[in-house]
Amino acid sequence: LGDITSEPGQVLERLMFACIPTLNGSYLERLKPLPDLYGPLWVCITLIFSTAISGNMADFFSSLGKDTNWEYDFKKVSIAGTVVFSYVTVVPALLSGFLWWRKSNAPVKLADILSLYGYSMSLFVPVSLLLCINYEWVRWILVVALVSASGGVLSLTMWKVLEEEPKQLALILTGILLALHVALILLFKVYFFTATESSSGGSASPT
């Protein structure tokens, strides 16, 4: 299923290029010949805690100046963990299973897709920290930038991977994968970084 560890320099290179969509070449070339799971694992773990912490900070900032009793919402950690690890494992597994079922000649294995999806989350980390800024217009600009960069890397890579499939099928699959990625980004924005109100003595809940 790929390499569990990887050279630090190689991981940093993969992290950097996971944030830069390019029409020339494919991000998958950065993962060959041996995709690693070390970088993606730490990207996901970092994202879980950065999202939970920053989401609580966003709730705190929105409660300033209001007659509310703000409390840290520890559920955000478990929810972020469930969503992130479900996304980066279930979607690659389903895609890999579908390609295997079709006996596809696509030059990609499960380890490649797992590594791709893990690294595609790397830009989520700095953006999640910036999303605690208590201005909705700033948050939506960050969301659009994240969709363009992270979604661009993922969709362009999968389009290259599926180029040997019928064009219509490749377009549909790429569209579905991009839609799921955008849905994940919107879920993070709406649940973790939308203005909330706290009742006295209660935890913050999304509106």
Side-chain angles (χ1 to χ4, degrees), residues 87 117 147 150-152 154-155 173-183:
Y87 178 72
Y117 266 77
V147 168
S150 180
L154 183 63
S155 58
L173 285 177
T174 303
I176 290 174
L177 295 175
L178 179 59
L180 290 173
H181 204 66
V182 172

Side-chain angles (χ1 to χ4, degrees), residues 76-170:
K76 290 184 184 294
V77 177
S78 58
I79 292 173
T82 300
V83 171
V84 169
F85 279 113
S86 295
Y87 178 72
V88 301
T89 56
V90 173
V91 175
L94 290 175
L95 177 59
S96 179
F98 177 76
L99 295 176
W100 173 84
W101 174 73
R102 278 187 52 82
K103 294 180 171 54
S104 171
N105 293 322
V108 67
K109 298 180 180 179
L110 176 59
D112 300 318
I113 306 177
L114 287 171
S115 188
L116 167 64
Y117 266 77
Y119 277 114
S120 73
M121 307 295 283
S122 58
L123 194 58
F124 280 60
V125 176
V127 170
S128 70
L129 297 175
L130 293 173
L131 282 172
C132 70
I133 298 173
N134 197 25
Y135 292 97
E136 278 298 300
W137 64 271
V138 173
R139 291 173 178 172
W140 282 111
I141 289 175
L142 291 169
V143 166
V144 171
L146 183 58
V147 168
S148 301
S150 180
V153 170
L154 183 63
S155 58
L156 288 173
T157 301
M158 292 313 303
W159 178 254
K160 291 282 187 180
V161 166
L162 298 170
E163 62 184 358
E164 294 189 16
E165 295 292 325
K167 292 298 182 183
Q168 186 176 10
L169 177 61

Side-chain angles (χ1 to χ4, degrees), residues 23-75:
L23 295 175
N24 299 321
S26 167
Y27 181 72
L28 196 63
E29 296 171 0
R30 304 284 174 182
L31 303 178
K32 297 288 188 178
L34 192 60
D36 73 283
L37 301 180
Y38 177 80
L41 174 63
W42 282 106
V43 166
C44 292
I45 292 174
T46 304
L47 175 60
I48 290 166
F49 285 100
S50 68
T51 299
I53 293 170
S54 191
N56 275 287
M57 288 176 62
D59 286 346
F60 172 73
F61 291 145
S62 67
S63 71
L64 293 177
K66 299 179 182 178
D67 187 19
T68 56
N69 182 21
W70 179 83
E71 291 184 2
Y72 193 95
D73 188 356
F74 290 96
K75 291 187 299 183

